[in-house]
Amino acid sequence: MPSYVIGDVQGCFDELMLLLEKINFNSKNDELIFAGDLINRGPKSLEVLEFCLKNKKSIEVVLGNHDIYLLYLIHQNKKNFQLAPILESKNKKKFFNWLIEKPLMIERKNNKNEKFVISHAGIPHIWDIEDARRLNKEYLNAIKNNPGGVFRNMWGDHPDLWSENLKGFSRIRVIINYFTRMRLITQKGKVDLKTKISSRSSKYKPWFEFVKNEKDKYQLFGHWAALKGKTKKRNIIGLDAGCVWGGHLKAIRINDRKIFKIKSL
Ligand SMILES: [Mn+2]
């Protein structure tokens, strides 16, 4: 069963359809895993979600910051101009129920025994894979048991440093921030959620620079369009090639690590 991991679609439905044509997508055989940010900014967010619901048996998603924002808007009955077609859709509740069960990370293996971890922003070096799995589960439990509490308390850039001592909703907020918003981080694991570019003098660096290379272990992530997918690290593969900004929609086939790209229309 071929598995494709697709970078940030952000409402670029037409490019998504071209990509599926290119990979000869067959919903009976193939799996699509979206690296988050399915919606917002681009022209056809509603169409992207409708496609996902229609094909939900063959689709998995890790949530991105925009997807969580949409869940918040629906749950708290808020308005948003760009997302109005979704918020006014008769399927709004269905989209919500589908998205709210989605994780912050997904793991896959191919038949060469190469392991892939998929998340929207990445997994910081201060967490090992067991930490990441456990914290993803904590998030899933929290959003299941008290979605209102999570949505009302998830905004903010602080605390900006992970600690096992964090409790309650600030703990969940920090987990969400690392998995869905992280770009720059320090050796100690402090995140800067405001700036997008690291200066040479800064102790903040792109998160993946601190991640050790491990043989046959790959991280796939989206979120950071300005990188154009380039990390200079073989095992860390950026999938957000900025389709919504005039770049490309990018995907990787896990089975053979082949890359597929569609130029933005
Ligand atoms: Mn994002």
Side-chain angles (χ1 to χ4, degrees):
M1 180 174 91
S3 267
Y4 298 85
V5 185
I6 303 174
D8 307 34
V9 177
Q10 298 230 267
C12 294
F13 177 74
D14 295 336
E15 289 86 344
L16 176 61
M17 291 304 108
L18 290 174
L19 176 70
L20 298 186
E21 216 173 279
K22 190 166 193 169
I23 66 176
N24 234 328
F25 173 62
N26 174 345
S27 65
K28 291 197 176 68
N29 263 318
D30 303 341
E31 178 188 42
L32 304 178
I33 302 173
F34 289 97
D37 285 356
L38 285 165
I39 48 112
N40 216 357
R41 300 225 158 97
K44 295 187 180 173
S45 291
L46 174 63
E47 287 84 344
V48 172
L49 287 189
E50 280 171 343
F51 168 81
C52 288
L53 269 195
K54 214 161 74 193
N55 293 280
K56 65 182 177 187
K57 284 199 178 121
S58 34
I59 291 180
E60 268 310 331
V61 185
V62 292
L63 293 178
N65 48 315
H66 288 276
D67 311 308
I68 295 186
Y69 178 54
L70 174 66
L71 286 170
Y72 160 84
L73 292 172
I74 297 176
H75 192 268
Q76 301 291 305
N77 237 326
K78 304 266 185 201
K79 290 199 162 86
N80 176 282
F81 176 72
Q82 275 203 44
L83 293 171
I86 296 175
L87 299 172
E88 289 158 15
S89 157
K90 61 176 179 3
N91 289 326
K92 174 171 90 165
K93 196 78 205 150
K94 283 187 190 162
F95 298 145
F96 182 87
N97 291 339
W98 177 69
L99 267 180
I100 193 133
E101 295 189 337
K102 298 305 176 200
L104 301 176
M105 68 177 271
I106 289 177
E107 296 175 80
R108 289 289 181 274
K109 219 193 274 178
N110 67 16
N111 55 14
K112 293 173 201 138
N113 223 10
E114 296 170 324
K115 296 186 174 105
F116 299 83
V117 182
I118 303 133
S119 63
H120 181 60
I123 314 260
H125 65 287
I126 51 169
W127 295 346
D128 61 26
I129 186 71
E130 285 82 18
D131 293 331
R133 283 179 194 139
R134 175 171 53 84
L135 300 174
N136 174 50
K137 276 193 195 132
E138 281 191 31
Y139 157 80
L140 284 168
N141 283 331
I143 199 111
K144 188 173 175 194
N145 296 326
N146 190 349
V150 173
F151 290 132
R152 283 189 297 272
N153 291 286
M154 67 181 206
W155 303 110
D157 300 345
H158 288 272
D160 60 358
L161 176 62
W162 170 249
S163 158
E164 279 298 345
N165 298 325
L166 288 167
K167 293 205 165 45
F169 291 121
S170 55
R171 183 176 173 97
I172 302 302
R173 174 167 68 245
V174 174
I175 294 171
I176 292 173
N177 282 345
Y178 278 98
F179 271 120
T180 71
R181 297 179 57 208
M182 169 180 68
R183 289 191 182 94
L184 301 177
I185 194 167
T186 66
Q187 176 74 53
K188 289 202 166 127
K190 237 183 188 202
V191 277
D192 176 355
L193 297 169
K194 292 240 167 0
T195 29
K196 293 190 178 180
I197 302 161
S198 64
S199 67
R200 214 173 288 176
S201 60
S202 168
K203 58 186 172 108
Y204 287 93
K205 301 203 179 330
W207 65 271
F208 44 82
E209 290 193 12
F210 294 109
V211 176
K212 309 195 285 276
N213 265 325
E214 286 181 85
K215 197 176 174 286
D216 297 334
K217 287 186 183 164
Y218 294 85
Q219 274 211 54
L220 309 177
F221 73 106
H223 187 56
W224 202 342
L227 295 174
K228 298 184 175 136
K230 295 190 177 82
T231 65
K232 296 184 188 149
K233 287 194 124 177
R234 181 179 169 272
N235 292 39
I236 301 193
I237 300 169
L239 294 175
D240 186 357
C243 190
V244 77
W245 308 113
H248 292 84
L249 184 62
K250 180 175 173 185
I252 183 169
R253 184 164 60 204
I254 277 182
N255 311 61
D256 55 1
R257 285 189 280 117
K258 186 178 162 67
I259 300 280
F260 299 84
K261 276 184 184 176
I262 296 292
K263 175 103 192 70
S264 165
L265 300 169

